Amino acid sequence: MIKINNIEIPIYPSSYDDDPITVKTDSYAIDGSMERHQFPSKKEVKMEFTMATPSQVKFFRDIFEAPGIVQFYNDQSNYGVLAFEGIMTTCQASEYKRGGGLMTSLRVTIREK
């Protein structure tokens, strides 16, 4: 069960990736040598929904536009129970598909703070 802010999400993703992300930056030092700054890995979840309705898109958009952090919980992760506080960094819907259903694809990313 996937929950955001203790609310079960209204649609389950067609694509789900919860591999941790490692942030590192490379830069040049004054003497011309390369330097690498690596930070501890962070939890990150990427979800894609292929056929989301307008109300389902609104659910994620409201969380994305709200100030503050989100609580993410998934008890069926590859890593066991995955629970963390983070920020929703992406909530991007594509154009609605033609036909009367107003379905769209949606991409959501949540990263540990």
Side-chain angles (χ1 to χ4, degrees), residues 50-58 93-106:
T50 55
M51 301 295 278
T53 64
S55 63
Q56 293 163 342
V57 171
K58 183 181 181 322
S94 64
E95 291 184 32
Y96 285 108
K97 304 209 180 347
R98 297 181 76 151
L102 294 178
M103 300 287 198
T104 186
S105 60
L106 174 68

Short mmCIF file of all heavy atoms in Angstrom, two decimals, residues 50-58 93-106:
data_model
loop_
_atom_site.label_atom_id
_atom_site.label_comp_id
_atom_site.label_asym_id
_atom_site.label_seq_id
_atom_site.Cartn_x
_atom_site.Cartn_y
_atom_site.Cartn_z
N THR A 50 -0.14 5.98 -16.32
CA THR A 50 -0.42 6.15 -17.74
C THR A 50 -1.83 6.65 -18.01
O THR A 50 -2.06 7.33 -18.99
CB THR A 50 -0.20 4.84 -18.51
OG1 THR A 50 -0.96 3.82 -17.90
CG2 THR A 50 1.27 4.47 -18.52
N MET A 51 -2.79 6.33 -17.17
CA MET A 51 -4.19 6.69 -17.43
C MET A 51 -4.81 7.33 -16.18
O MET A 51 -5.68 6.75 -15.54
CB MET A 51 -4.98 5.46 -17.84
CG MET A 51 -4.46 4.77 -19.09
SD MET A 51 -4.57 5.78 -20.56
CE MET A 51 -6.26 5.50 -20.99
N ALA A 52 -4.38 8.53 -15.84
CA ALA A 52 -4.89 9.21 -14.66
C ALA A 52 -6.06 10.11 -15.03
O ALA A 52 -6.05 10.79 -16.06
CB ALA A 52 -3.79 10.05 -14.02
N THR A 53 -7.08 10.12 -14.19
CA THR A 53 -8.25 10.98 -14.41
C THR A 53 -7.96 12.38 -13.86
O THR A 53 -7.01 12.57 -13.09
CB THR A 53 -9.49 10.42 -13.69
OG1 THR A 53 -9.24 10.44 -12.28
CG2 THR A 53 -9.80 9.00 -14.14
N PRO A 54 -8.76 13.38 -14.22
CA PRO A 54 -8.54 14.72 -13.68
C PRO A 54 -8.56 14.77 -12.15
O PRO A 54 -7.77 15.50 -11.55
CB PRO A 54 -9.70 15.53 -14.27
CG PRO A 54 -10.00 14.85 -15.55
CD PRO A 54 -9.80 13.39 -15.27
N SER A 55 -9.41 14.00 -11.49
CA SER A 55 -9.44 14.02 -10.02
C SER A 55 -8.18 13.40 -9.43
O SER A 55 -7.69 13.84 -8.39
CB SER A 55 -10.70 13.32 -9.50
OG SER A 55 -10.68 11.95 -9.85
N GLN A 56 -7.63 12.38 -10.09
CA GLN A 56 -6.39 11.78 -9.61
C GLN A 56 -5.21 12.73 -9.81
O GLN A 56 -4.35 12.86 -8.94
CB GLN A 56 -6.15 10.45 -10.32
CG GLN A 56 -7.18 9.41 -9.94
CD GLN A 56 -7.23 8.24 -10.90
OE1 GLN A 56 -6.74 8.30 -12.03
NE2 GLN A 56 -7.83 7.14 -10.45
N VAL A 57 -5.19 13.43 -10.93
CA VAL A 57 -4.15 14.43 -11.16
C VAL A 57 -4.26 15.54 -10.11
O VAL A 57 -3.27 15.99 -9.56
CB VAL A 57 -4.25 15.02 -12.59
CG1 VAL A 57 -3.32 16.21 -12.76
CG2 VAL A 57 -3.95 13.95 -13.63
N LYS A 58 -5.48 15.95 -9.80
CA LYS A 58 -5.70 16.99 -8.79
C LYS A 58 -5.19 16.56 -7.42
O LYS A 58 -4.62 17.36 -6.68
CB LYS A 58 -7.18 17.34 -8.71
CG LYS A 58 -7.48 18.48 -7.73
CD LYS A 58 -8.96 18.78 -7.68
CE LYS A 58 -9.30 19.91 -6.75
NZ LYS A 58 -8.57 20.02 -5.53
N ALA A 93 1.90 16.46 -15.59
CA ALA A 93 0.89 15.76 -16.39
C ALA A 93 1.06 16.15 -17.85
O ALA A 93 1.41 17.28 -18.17
CB ALA A 93 -0.51 16.14 -15.91
N SER A 94 0.79 15.20 -18.73
CA SER A 94 0.85 15.50 -20.16
C SER A 94 -0.53 15.96 -20.63
O SER A 94 -1.46 16.07 -19.82
CB SER A 94 1.32 14.27 -20.94
OG SER A 94 0.38 13.23 -20.79
N GLU A 95 -0.67 16.19 -21.91
CA GLU A 95 -1.95 16.62 -22.45
C GLU A 95 -2.98 15.50 -22.30
O GLU A 95 -2.64 14.32 -22.31
CB GLU A 95 -1.81 16.95 -23.94
CG GLU A 95 -1.01 18.18 -24.21
CD GLU A 95 -1.00 18.51 -25.69
OE1 GLU A 95 -2.00 18.23 -26.38
OE2 GLU A 95 0.01 19.04 -26.14
N TYR A 96 -4.23 15.89 -22.14
CA TYR A 96 -5.29 14.90 -22.02
C TYR A 96 -5.47 14.18 -23.35
O TYR A 96 -5.35 14.77 -24.40
CB TYR A 96 -6.61 15.56 -21.60
CG TYR A 96 -6.63 15.93 -20.15
CD1 TYR A 96 -6.55 17.26 -19.75
CD2 TYR A 96 -6.71 14.95 -19.17
CE1 TYR A 96 -6.55 17.60 -18.41
CE2 TYR A 96 -6.71 15.28 -17.82
CZ TYR A 96 -6.63 16.60 -17.46
OH TYR A 96 -6.62 16.92 -16.13
N LYS A 97 -5.74 12.89 -23.24
CA LYS A 97 -5.95 12.09 -24.44
C LYS A 97 -7.35 12.36 -25.01
O LYS A 97 -8.28 12.58 -24.26
CB LYS A 97 -5.78 10.62 -24.11
CG LYS A 97 -4.42 10.34 -23.48
CD LYS A 97 -3.95 8.97 -23.78
CE LYS A 97 -2.63 8.60 -23.20
NZ LYS A 97 -1.75 9.51 -22.66
N ARG A 98 -7.45 12.32 -26.28
CA ARG A 98 -8.75 12.59 -26.92
C ARG A 98 -9.69 11.43 -26.68
O ARG A 98 -9.32 10.32 -26.52
CB ARG A 98 -8.54 12.75 -28.43
CG ARG A 98 -7.68 13.93 -28.74
CD ARG A 98 -7.54 14.03 -30.20
NE ARG A 98 -8.79 14.58 -30.70
CZ ARG A 98 -8.90 15.31 -31.77
NH1 ARG A 98 -7.86 15.54 -32.50
NH2 ARG A 98 -10.07 15.78 -32.15
N GLY A 99 -10.91 11.75 -26.64
CA GLY A 99 -11.93 10.74 -26.44
C GLY A 99 -12.91 11.01 -25.36
O GLY A 99 -13.16 11.32 -24.99
N GLY A 100 -13.33 11.21 -24.57
CA GLY A 100 -14.23 11.61 -23.53
C GLY A 100 -13.77 11.27 -22.15
O GLY A 100 -14.34 11.75 -21.22
N GLY A 101 -12.72 10.45 -22.03
CA GLY A 101 -12.32 10.05 -20.69
C GLY A 101 -11.43 11.06 -19.97
O GLY A 101 -11.27 10.99 -18.78
N LEU A 102 -10.88 12.00 -20.74
CA LEU A 102 -9.96 13.00 -20.19
C LEU A 102 -8.79 12.37 -19.43
O LEU A 102 -8.31 12.91 -18.45
CB LEU A 102 -10.69 13.99 -19.28
CG LEU A 102 -11.71 14.90 -19.96
CD1 LEU A 102 -12.39 15.78 -18.92
CD2 LEU A 102 -11.05 15.75 -21.02
N MET A 103 -8.35 11.20 -19.87
CA MET A 103 -7.22 10.52 -19.22
C MET A 103 -5.92 11.18 -19.67
O MET A 103 -5.81 11.70 -20.77
CB MET A 103 -7.18 9.04 -19.61
CG MET A 103 -8.41 8.28 -19.22
SD MET A 103 -8.43 8.03 -17.45
CE MET A 103 -9.60 6.70 -17.35
N THR A 104 -4.93 11.14 -18.80
CA THR A 104 -3.62 11.70 -19.12
C THR A 104 -2.55 10.86 -18.44
O THR A 104 -2.83 10.10 -17.52
CB THR A 104 -3.53 13.16 -18.66
OG1 THR A 104 -2.29 13.70 -19.11
CG2 THR A 104 -3.60 13.30 -17.15
N SER A 105 -1.32 11.03 -18.88
CA SER A 105 -0.22 10.40 -18.16
C SER A 105 0.35 11.41 -17.16
O SER A 105 0.30 12.61 -17.38
CB SER A 105 0.87 9.91 -19.13
OG SER A 105 1.38 10.99 -19.87
N LEU A 106 0.87 10.89 -16.08
CA LEU A 106 1.32 11.73 -14.96
C LEU A 106 2.62 11.17 -14.44
O LEU A 106 2.78 9.95 -14.29
CB LEU A 106 0.27 11.75 -13.86
CG LEU A 106 0.60 12.45 -12.56
CD1 LEU A 106 0.72 13.95 -12.77
CD2 LEU A 106 -0.46 12.16 -11.51
#
